[in-house]
Structures are given as C-alpha cells and as structure tokens.
Amino acid sequence: MGFWYRRGAIAWLLWPVSLIFCILVLTRRFLYWTRVLKSTHPGIPVIIVGNITVGGSGKTPLVLWIAEFLAAKGWSPAIVSRGYRRNAGGHAETPRAATVASDPAEVGDEPILLARRSGCPVWVGADRVQTIAALRAANPRADVVILDDGLQHYALRRDLEIAVLDARGIGNGFLLPAGPLREPARRLATMDCVIVNGFRRESAFSMALEGEVAHRMTDARDRQPLKAFAGHSVHAVAAIGDPQRFFAHLAAAGIKVQPHPFPDHHPFTPQDLDFGDERPVLMTEKDAVKLRHAARPGWWVLPVTARPDTAFGGWLLGKTDEWRRSKVA
C-alpha cells in the first residue's frame, strides 16, 4: 500500500471513504466511553502494546522486553495475542495456549515466538476479555497481562496504553482506506506513552531493534555474527510490517542483500525459499517459526531484541510500583 505514505491521487480519491471510517471509529469509541457498549476489566493490571496504524512497528520485541523487565522486578507476567491470521477451524474463536510446540497455522507466528523467548504463559483469542479469563484460570500466579496489539479492543479496560511507531510514522495522516491509520492521529495524545522505533519524536521514548548474531536454522548452537556474512551475497527474506527495515539492517552490516519481501504474516512454504542457487538465506525469527519443520542447513535466522530508552524502564517501574502500593492500601 505505497499510497498510504504519500498524499497522491489514490489517497485523495479514497479520502471521502476514510471520513466515513473515521465517523464509525469515533462513534464506537464514544459508545464505549459512555458505557453504552460494555467494557470489562479482568481484575489484574493490563498493559496494551499496540499502534494506531496498520502493520508491524516493533510491538512484539517490545512486549518481550516488558515481560522480561517485569519478571526481573518480581512480577509474574502473561501475554495475550489475537494470533493474527491463525486458522483453528471451528475453534478459531476459542482461547487457547500458545507454546513452542504449537502449530503456527492454529495460533499464529508471533505467539509461538513470544512463548519461546519470554518463558511466560502466552494465550491467543479474538475476545481478549474471554482469553484473559481462560489464561488466569490456567495460570493463577499470573499477576499482570501484556497484550501484543489490541488498542482498539475497547471491550477490555486497560491500565496502560503504549503505542509504538516505526520510521513510517503515521504515513500520509489519513485513515483507512486512504491511509494506514486505524484511528485519528490525535489518539496518540491520549496514550500513556508513545515509543518510536528507529527515529526520534518529541514527547516520546525511543527504541532500537538490535540483532547482530544469526543462528543456523537446523542447529541453533551454530551461531555466526552478521559480520561473518559481510561481503557475501545472501537471499534476505522478510514477511514483516516493514521488510525494508530488515534488509537495511543486513546491508548496514556490509552484506550484499538480495531482498525478498513478502506480505506481513505470509504463510511460508519451503518452495517460497527455493531461489535456484546455493546462496545462504537470512530470515527474521518470526518467519522462521513457520518453516521450522522444513529447515535447511543454508537457512539462517536473525533474532532481534528491543532496546528502549533507559528512561522508559524507569517510567514503567514507577507505574507498576503504583499498582503494588494501591494493592497494599
């Protein structure tokens, strides 16, 4: 959707439709605000990490960082995701746990990554209120829930809203379908905090994604720094919100990149990576989840880690300490 990032002819042609979409979005939010539509709090603190735009922006690495941060501070975090593009047959709406052994077709790719990296309980479901209830029943020790996306799921009351923007920002500033916005840009002013990934914005925390060591997909113990690929030509595969971010990261390490962008959450098959030569294939960790049962020695995976401002950790600690004090009181 290249026209989402400039105000060209197509964007202006769709602009009247985006006004209708805006009215619907604002009406829905007003109905929840006035309690005409019911919203529910699950009884434990809820942190939502999302965005107001369509597409990935670095939310999942930040969710992992928050889960690790809270666990180190004595909390027992759990994670909830919708499980985007999952297909569980007639049980697609039923909450279920996502584990490292789950089928990505049934729970989604990101929940498996979250389960493997975080060590926390991870559950998926379209109805977040119902999903958190099921998670708590199965994991009574969980005392804080982190949502990977769900800012617009107003049926769930939340304690903290964290918006993540990448370098694409808010695009052309138009709502769907003329632009990438799910809600008007002024919604950012109502967030508890905004984190920007890969650029700087006033009144926002900054975050970087770091990934410098790849591992062979057939043997995760075989690790190589990215600089080991410098000067070599590789096939780079990415089905994330902004594939160019991944390709640029590899190129910055001196790698000769043959880019292969795919739509976000693309359901990979081994044939998708059959490029007709013996050059190595470098892919994101999220994409590797869907190809783990067809791994080949020439395929390499690059995990990334979020590194937010130190100030963000202090801010988050202050919020969670407030929850603990209020619980004691």
Side-chain angles (χ1 to χ4, degrees):
M1 296 291 184
F3 65 86
W4 280 353
Y5 301 96
R6 60 181 182 276
R7 295 193 174 185
I10 298 177
W12 283 112
L13 184 65
L14 293 172
W15 179 69
V17 184
S18 73
L19 291 181
I20 298 173
F21 180 75
C22 181
I23 292 171
L24 293 174
V25 166
L26 293 177
T27 300
R28 177 175 173 270
R29 183 167 165 78
F30 176 77
L31 292 175
Y32 275 110
W33 181 69
T34 57
R35 305 293 175 86
V36 173
L37 294 178
K38 182 182 178 182
S39 61
T40 304
H41 193 280
I44 61 174
V46 174
I47 302 172
I48 293 185
V49 179
N51 59 15
I52 62 169
T53 62
V54 173
S57 56
K59 299 185 300 296
T60 299
L62 182 62
V63 167
L64 284 167
W65 186 92
I66 292 173
E68 292 171 358
F69 178 85
L70 293 180
K73 301 301 179 181
W75 292 85
S76 297
I79 299 172
V80 165
S81 170
R82 181 175 182 175
Y84 186 68
R85 287 194 177 180
R86 71 190 184 103
N87 180 14
H91 304 285
E93 299 304 312
T94 304
R96 61 191 301 171
T99 70
V100 293
S102 295
D103 184 344
E106 295 182 354
V107 301
D109 46 23
E110 287 167 339
I112 296 175
L113 171 59
L114 287 166
R116 184 172 66 216
R117 291 275 299 270
S118 72
C120 299
V122 178
W123 280 63
V124 298
D127 185 325
R128 311 304 201 282
V129 175
Q130 186 182 37
T131 303
I132 293 175
L135 182 156
R136 293 189 70 194
N139 303 273
R141 290 186 63 253
D143 54 11
V144 60
V145 175
I146 310 162
L147 262 68
D148 186 5
D149 211 356
L151 278 178
Q152 291 76 37
H153 196 80
Y154 291 119
L156 174 68
R157 294 185 208 164
R158 64 289 307 265
D159 298 274
L160 283 182
E161 290 185 328
I162 300 172
V164 183
L165 294 176
D166 65 10
R168 296 170 298 175
I170 60 171
N172 60 15
F174 290 161
L175 272 74
L176 293 166
L181 291 177
R182 301 173 177 177
E183 298 183 90
R186 61 179 177 273
R187 171 78 167 91
L188 290 173
T190 70
M191 302 289 178
D192 292 286
C193 86
V194 177
I195 294 185
V196 292
N197 173 17
F199 71 109
R200 294 198 172 274
R201 178 188 175 102
E202 188 177 352
S203 302
F205 295 111
S206 295
M207 178 182 85
L209 294 179
E210 299 178 355
E212 303 303 327
V213 178
H215 66 79
R216 194 183 298 274
M217 198 165 170
T218 53
D219 183 0
R221 296 169 298 180
D222 187 354
R223 298 174 178 272
Q224 294 289 338
L226 277 188
K227 62 183 180 182
F229 296 91
H232 298 281
S233 179
V234 306
H235 294 287
V237 173
I240 57 178
D242 184 10
Q244 295 304 322
R245 187 172 64 218
F246 179 65
F247 303 149
H249 182 75
L250 299 183
I255 300 172
K256 298 177 181 178
V257 175
Q258 178 64 44
H260 300 277
F262 288 82
D264 198 9
H265 299 279
H266 177 72
F268 279 105
T269 66
Q271 290 72 33
D272 289 328
L273 275 61
D274 186 2
F275 301 120
D277 57 42
E278 298 301 318
R279 283 183 287 176
V281 175
L282 274 168
M283 69 185 79
T284 72
E285 193 175 18
K286 185 177 84 169
D287 298 326
V289 164
K290 289 165 286 192
L291 290 160
R292 58 187 175 177
H293 298 303
R296 296 176 184 173
W299 294 354
W300 294 80
V301 182
L302 180 66
V304 296
T305 302
R307 290 285 181 260
D309 284 345
T310 302
F312 172 70
W315 175 85
L316 183 59
L317 184 61
K319 294 294 183 181
T320 56
D321 283 348
E322 287 178 14
W323 296 340
R324 278 186 167 140
R325 286 194 296 270
S326 64
K327 187 175 181 179
V328 172

